[in-house]
Amino acid sequence: MSDDGTKALSVIGFIGSVFSPWYRWSGRREPQNHCCINVATYGPGGRFTMTDRGRSALRQSNDTLTVGPSRIHWTGTQLIVEVNEVSAPPVVSPVKGRIVLTPAGMTDVEVALTEEGSHIWRPFSPTARIDVDLTQGHRWQGHGYFDANFGTAALEADFRFWTWGRYPVADGAACFYDAIRKDGSRLEIGLHVTSDGRARMIEPPPPARFARSGWFVERHTPADPGTKPRQVMSMLDAPFYSRSMVETTVFGQKTVGVHEALDLRRFSWPLLMPMLAVRVPRRAKWRFGN
């Protein structure tokens, strides 16, 4: 999120592109054949890029993930994203540039989201600075977040619905997961991480509902009793998924952070896949230059 709150950005590197219809239609047998670096910018000049690429586009090393023309590189102190993508309809245009994320501190936290460990969350750095230099006028600085998820099963196989939020607080950041698993059990996680990376589990404030998304996805996020969260900016609004800037109050502090709500029941609808294919083109072949 930009320091002035007018722009935002998300970058996700996928091996096994979770939300790709092409990966789902393939039976999800070969994750390396459905990889992607998804870059989305929000605010004026916002663009969405998510190209499903084949195995020939994937290169991996201990510190670098390359997918076709874009790559994510860890220097030991910074995460550098080199972007060279094309945005999806309705506005098709090149999205190019560089993003540098500098963590304030790194954690070694690893959280199993299911009892059998089929989904793992790694919040590497909930507090970071970010410097964005992309096309469409996205040249700004702000505060950022760096994590990873790993899974051995489809999300809709283990979950019905989940929400996630990351909120800056005076002494670092608070992160929350609230999910209903497929068997009906509930996952409620609160994590506080100081700016220098010291982490501890916390009891989340009670969930408070706020307005549904444009596609009527249900939304709630932790809030101190007597306060009501509100959306500050809609970032991504899909039939099964909402990402937005949300203002809430936690532990007596008013804060604006990024919130996500994911309805896996809707994501299971077969008719949704052709809709997604318009926004997620498939490019099976790629050749790296010398």
Side-chain angles (χ1 to χ4, degrees):
M1 294 169 49
S2 64
D3 286 327
D4 65 6
T6 64
K7 295 183 178 181
L9 163 88
S10 64
V11 178
I12 309 175
F14 290 100
I15 300 177
S17 193
V18 176
F19 301 117
S20 165
W22 311 99
Y23 187 36
R24 181 166 169 179
W25 286 330
S26 75
R28 295 179 170 136
R29 291 183 295 272
E30 297 180 80
Q32 289 80 5
N33 198 35
H34 295 273
C35 50
C36 175
I37 294 181
N38 163 225
V39 180
T41 54
Y42 309 107
R47 296 289 190 272
F48 178 86
T49 79
M50 191 173 187
T51 301
D52 184 307
R53 299 187 185 276
R55 64 176 64 81
S56 61
L58 177 64
R59 286 183 174 176
Q60 292 174 265
S61 69
N62 286 340
D63 54 21
T64 305
L65 170 67
T66 301
V67 181
S70 299
R71 74 171 196 153
I72 300 173
H73 174 68
W74 174 247
T75 69
T77 58
Q78 292 180 316
L79 192 72
I80 298 175
V81 186
E82 297 171 358
V83 179
N84 185 1
E85 297 292 329
V86 175
S87 61
V91 183
V92 178
S93 62
V95 177
K96 297 182 178 182
R98 193 170 188 258
I99 303 156
V100 179
L101 180 137
T102 306
M106 299 291 287
T107 81
D108 58 2
V109 174
E110 182 173 290
V111 180
L113 303 180
T114 56
E115 288 189 3
E116 63 277 16
S118 55
H119 295 275
I120 300 292
W121 174 46
R122 288 289 311 275
F124 295 126
S125 181
T127 302
R129 292 296 298 171
I130 188 167
D131 191 314
V132 179
D133 185 2
L134 295 177
T135 48
Q136 291 82 45
H138 273 265
R139 296 177 179 88
W140 48 267
Q141 294 180 334
H143 58 95
Y145 170 89
F146 174 28
D147 78 350
N149 286 78
F150 307 89
T152 57
L155 288 173
E156 67 270 26
D158 285 339
F159 297 95
R160 298 179 189 172
F161 187 89
W162 82 16
T163 69
W164 170 90
R166 172 262 183 187
Y167 296 100
V169 292
D171 50 352
C175 304
F176 304 103
Y177 256 111
D178 186 352
I180 304 297
R181 300 187 184 96
K182 197 69 175 284
D183 63 7
S185 63
R186 188 159 192 166
L187 169 74
E188 291 182 282
I189 292 174
L191 178 70
H192 176 267
V193 182
T194 60
S195 296
D196 60 2
R198 289 175 288 123
R200 62 185 177 91
M201 305 305 292
I202 56 175
E203 183 72 23
R209 293 181 183 273
F210 61 103
R212 288 175 178 257
S213 71
W215 280 96
F216 299 101
V217 173
E218 177 188 333
R219 297 188 293 184
H220 60 266
T221 196
D224 290 353
T227 63
K228 186 171 179 61
R230 69 181 184 92
Q231 175 179 290
V232 175
M233 177 193 289
S234 175
M235 296 165 69
L236 183 60
D237 193 355
F240 63 96
Y241 182 80
S242 165
R243 179 185 293 138
S244 55
M245 286 190 201
V246 170
E247 180 187 89
T248 187
T249 300
V250 292
F251 313 120
Q253 301 179 56
K254 183 178 287 188
T255 176
V256 176
V258 175
H259 175 273
E260 297 178 347
L262 175 60
D263 190 329
L264 279 315
R265 297 159 298 186
R266 288 191 182 186
F267 183 63
S268 298
W269 294 347
L271 291 178
L272 186 65
M273 294 300 106
M275 295 172 59
L276 285 178
V278 176
R279 296 277 279 173
V280 184
R282 169 74 172 162
R283 301 288 182 266
K285 297 186 183 298
W286 178 263
R287 178 176 292 178
F288 287 100
N290 293 330

